[in-house]
Amino acid sequence: MKRFFTWFIALFTNRRTWVRQIIVAAIASATAWIVGDNLIFNGGLVAAIVCALSIRISLYKSIREGLGQIVGTAIGAGVALLTVYFFNFGVIAIGTTVLFCSIVARGLRLGEVASVNVPVTALIVIGPGISGSTAQHRLLSTLIGAAVAIVFSYFSHSNTPAGRTVNQIARIGKRSAELISDMAEGVAAGFNQKQAGSWLAKARLLVEEIPTLRSQALEAKQYAKWSPLAGIDEADALYVQGVAVEHMVVQVRTMARTLFDSTLDEKRMDVVDRQIAYALSATSYAITAKIELIESDHSINEIDNIARDLRLAADNLTEELIAQAEKLPRSQFVRCISLVSQMKIIANSLDESSPALYSVKTPGEPTSAKVIGLSPVIKTTKLSKRIWLGLRNFMRR
């Protein structure tokens, strides 16, 4: 029995972040019910539903989600009310509401989740017993639910956006270092295609973490622009570090792919495996050391020393490869030299000296992680300007 209770408690203690988020979501929905019911006649249910649909894991995403929810629902419900006025509540009103809300959600690029939430909320607004006052009450309840979700999303995490960015960078960096360490041990012991395939699969999973990391780094950057509690310089530095980790992870995957391809080469010789294993081990150590410095107060000189040592390990591997060039098949020699290139790119990412981190514009939040792709305010402003210019040109005629 004691073992069962220990296991049961561990289910929650090992998932503190998830538990915190669902508790906050539950309290937020209950609060939305109370506020909606007290401010608007029978407005609690709609407010609670919209709150549950809008709340996200961060303040930044909840604001964008809530804004998109309100704008999309208001437009969709407005059209639905016109449809109900002309055709009464029925199949035409339902079909028109879902169709128009889907178009609006697509136009605002709300993403997969919000594209479903907007039609659902609009249907709630125009539900049975609809009238002008009822629709107005439900729209106001929608606004209350979204507002409560935005407020409570601040408490979804015990850490700041910058702190969460550091945690993401550390998590991905440590996993990368562990993978390269496994690769080093495997190469030293003599690896096969199955092992190399396992490394490549893990490296691909690491690359799939990039959109989440970039989204979190962008959140920290945007949060610092308006919050006096966050430093802009720190957020900008974290964003660059996030881009550097992204470049590093891509090189880790390329390393795993290079080792996998080498198992397919029948002419491959293992005379340089020891040197490659040492170089991979040095790469793993450098990444681990950099992550430890990011998690603590560090100096630039320490990071420079880490990158310098990794470049030295890459140069030593190059000399070993050149010394063995006559013994190695050309295809194997080229693959080994590519490992040297990947090590140096990782070194440039560690000390953030590569021009690719600064000179090349980094895309914003990945489409897969976006909550709302376009600003409704900017979009509405542009549309109003076009309408005004069109009317002015028409009047001049």
Side-chain angles (χ1 to χ4, degrees):
M1 184 62 70
K2 183 179 179 181
R3 182 180 298 179
F4 171 78
F5 279 113
T6 303
W7 169 80
F8 183 76
I9 293 173
L11 288 176
F12 298 94
T13 56
N14 295 337
R15 298 169 175 83
R16 290 189 180 94
T17 301
W18 174 77
V19 171
R20 182 188 182 99
Q21 290 172 4
I22 62 174
I23 290 176
V24 168
I27 295 174
S29 298
T31 304
W33 171 282
I34 296 173
V35 175
D37 238 18
N38 282 283
L39 295 181
I40 299 171
F41 179 71
N42 290 334
L45 179 60
V46 175
I49 292 173
V50 173
C51 179
L53 292 175
S54 299
I55 195 167
R56 286 292 176 267
I57 61 173
S58 67
L59 179 63
Y60 172 64
K61 290 186 176 181
S62 287
I63 291 175
R64 301 168 77 194
E65 173 75 7
L67 182 60
Q69 187 92 333
I70 293 169
V71 173
T73 301
I75 296 174
V79 172
L81 287 173
L82 289 176
T83 308
V84 170
Y85 177 78
F86 289 108
F87 301 101
N88 295 323
F89 185 80
V91 63
I92 297 179
I94 298 298
T96 305
T97 301
V98 173
L99 175 64
F100 197 81
C101 285
S102 300
I103 293 174
V104 170
R106 172 65 179 174
L108 293 176
R109 300 178 189 173
L110 298 182
E112 294 181 3
V113 176
S115 294
V116 175
N117 291 350
V118 169
V120 169
T121 310
L123 290 175
I124 293 172
V125 171
I126 68 160
I130 189 68
S131 64
S133 59
T134 305
Q136 183 181 0
H137 289 170
R138 291 175 182 174
L139 283 174
L140 291 175
S141 300
T142 299
L143 177 61
I144 291 173
V148 172
I150 290 172
V151 172
F152 273 85
S153 62
Y154 178 80
F155 304 98
S156 294
H157 284 278
S158 58
N159 211 341
T160 63
R164 294 199 295 274
T165 304
V166 171
N167 291 341
Q168 285 275 10
I169 291 174
R171 185 175 63 84
I172 296 176
K174 290 176 181 178
R175 287 177 58 189
S176 300
E178 290 173 1
L179 176 57
I180 296 178
S181 178
D182 291 343
M183 291 160 58
E185 293 176 4
V187 171
F191 64 105
N192 54 39
Q193 186 175 339
K194 183 178 180 180
Q195 284 178 293
S198 175
W199 300 335
L200 181 56
K202 292 179 180 178
R204 287 173 176 171
L205 291 176
L206 275 176
V207 172
E208 291 180 2
E209 298 282 348
I210 290 176
T212 304
L213 171 61
R214 195 188 304 168
S215 177
Q216 182 58 63
L218 181 62
E219 178 186 340
K221 192 174 181 180
Q222 296 293 340
Y223 178 77
K225 289 182 179 179
W226 59 268
S227 175
L229 303 177
I232 297 179
D233 293 339
E234 179 189 7
D236 289 340
L238 284 174
Y239 189 79
V240 174
Q241 288 176 357
V243 176
V245 170
E246 177 180 338
H247 288 200
M248 180 189 72
V249 169
V250 172
Q251 298 309 313
V252 173
R253 182 184 63 179
T254 306
M255 283 181 167
R257 173 62 191 271
T258 301
L259 293 177
F260 178 81
D261 289 344
S262 68
T263 62
L264 306 176
D265 188 356
E266 296 179 354
K267 298 180 180 180
R268 175 182 171 275
M269 302 176 64
D270 58 2
V271 293
V272 292
D273 282 358
R274 180 180 60 83
Q275 292 86 345
I276 292 175
Y278 178 80
L280 291 174
S281 179
T283 305
S284 175
Y285 174 79
I287 295 174
T288 302
K290 170 64 183 291
I291 295 303
E292 290 176 352
L293 291 178
I294 290 178
E295 291 181 306
S296 60
D297 295 331
H298 61 275
S299 66
I300 297 177
N301 291 334
E302 291 176 290
I303 296 177
D304 290 342
N305 292 336
I306 293 171
R308 183 199 62 194
D309 292 342
L310 182 55
R311 292 189 183 98
L312 181 61
D315 291 338
N316 292 336
L317 177 58
T318 302
E319 293 177 2
E320 294 281 355
L321 292 173
I322 293 174
Q324 300 285 347
E326 295 182 358
K327 300 179 181 179
L328 296 175
R330 179 174 296 181
S331 58
Q332 184 179 359
F333 179 78
V334 171
R335 280 194 298 271
C336 292
I337 288 296
S338 72
L339 289 174
V340 173
S341 176
Q342 289 143 22
M343 289 175 61
K344 291 195 172 184
I345 292 175
I346 290 176
N348 293 339
S349 297
L350 293 179
D351 65 2
E352 300 168 19
S353 62
S354 173
L357 303 179
Y358 304 94
S359 302
V360 180
K361 183 179 179 180
T362 302
E365 190 174 12
T367 303
S368 59
K370 282 187 176 181
V371 178
I372 176 172
L374 298 175
S375 170
V377 176
I378 296 176
K379 203 69 177 176
T380 304
T381 303
K382 290 181 178 179
L383 181 60
S384 62
K385 287 182 179 179
R386 290 178 181 176
I387 294 174
W388 168 248
L389 289 175
L391 289 174
R392 189 176 63 179
N393 294 333
F394 177 78
M395 295 298 293
R396 285 179 178 178
R397 294 176 184 174

